[in-house]
Each structure stands twice: as C-alpha cells, then as structure tokens.
Amino acid sequence: MADIDTRPRVRETVKTERPRLHKVILINDDFTPREFVVMVLKAVFRMNADQAAKVMLTAHQKGACVVAVFQRDIAETKASEATDAGKSAGFPLLFTTEPEE
Ligand code: TYC
C-alpha cells in the first residue's frame, strides 16, 4: 500500500478569456445639429475638437461611425449618457453599442 503513485497524471491549465470589448457607435440623423454632436463627443468621450469633428462627419456621411471601444458596462454607460444628452435637448441623437468580433 505504501508505494501507490498518487501524483496527478494530467496537468491542468485554466484559461480565462478576456471579456470582449464593445464598440460605441454614433448613428446619423437628420435633425441633431452638427455642433451639438461635436459637443457631446467632446464631453462624454473626452475627444478634442478635431477628433470629434471627424467622427461626426463620418457618421453624417456614412450613416454611422465607431466612436471608441470599452469594457461592456463602460460602453453602455457612455452610450446612454450621450444619447440622453440629445434627448434632454430635444434631439434624436443615438449612440448604440455592439461587441467586437
Ligand atoms: N446629419 C446631421 C445634420 O445634418 C448632423 C449629424 C451628424 C447628426 C452625425 C447625427 O450622428 C450624427 N444636422
């Protein structure tokens, strides 16, 4: 009984997957003034005037533009904050989120 080999025969490796990042996407509309979109991008996403203007113009021309990527809860909070800023001012400004591939 004394010489039973009790050493593990299988080496276990535990893999933790990194949580997926989520994109915040700005959606174009026909009503929100360009300057208002830029103001929200600067305030909520801490962009400078140049970055904000580029993102706004891309959404304006293409229909949508990725603003930034964050952990899911942060992406959702920022998208809501930015969408609510438009709503409070009476604009249909919309920010959505989606997971990165
Ligand atoms: N299309 C708007 C206008 O012409 C401006 C705008 C740009 C609105 C981007 C939303 O995500 C947007 N006033």
Side-chain angles (χ1 to χ4, degrees):
M1 274 311 269
D3 53 3
I4 293 174
D5 183 359
T6 59
R7 286 174 303 171
R9 255 155 264 203
V10 179
R11 200 174 300 240
E12 197 174 277
T13 57
V14 178
K15 284 195 178 163
T16 312
E17 286 191 9
R18 223 188 286 264
R20 273 207 285 183
L21 291 174
H22 286 242
K23 299 182 272 198
V24 175
I25 300 161
L26 168 64
I27 310 294
N28 185 39
D29 67 72
D30 291 338
F31 305 100
T32 310
R34 293 179 183 213
E35 317 76 64
F36 187 87
V37 180
V38 168
M39 189 264 287
V40 170
L41 288 170
K42 285 160 75 180
V44 177
F45 299 95
R46 310 222 141 267
M47 291 183 162
N48 66 35
D50 255 37
Q51 297 168 318
K54 273 185 191 153
V55 167
M56 180 280 295
L57 261 185
T58 302
H60 177 73
Q61 289 164 353
K62 304 202 165 173
C65 181
V66 175
V67 178
V69 292
F70 301 102
Q71 286 174 11
R72 180 156 113 144
D73 55 340
I74 296 172
E76 285 171 353
T77 302
K78 289 204 179 263
S80 300
E81 257 179 58
T83 298
D84 287 349
K87 202 172 204 169
S88 302
F91 299 126
L93 183 63
L94 179 62
F95 289 80
T96 62
T97 65
E98 66 175 59
E100 276 201 320
E101 304 73 39

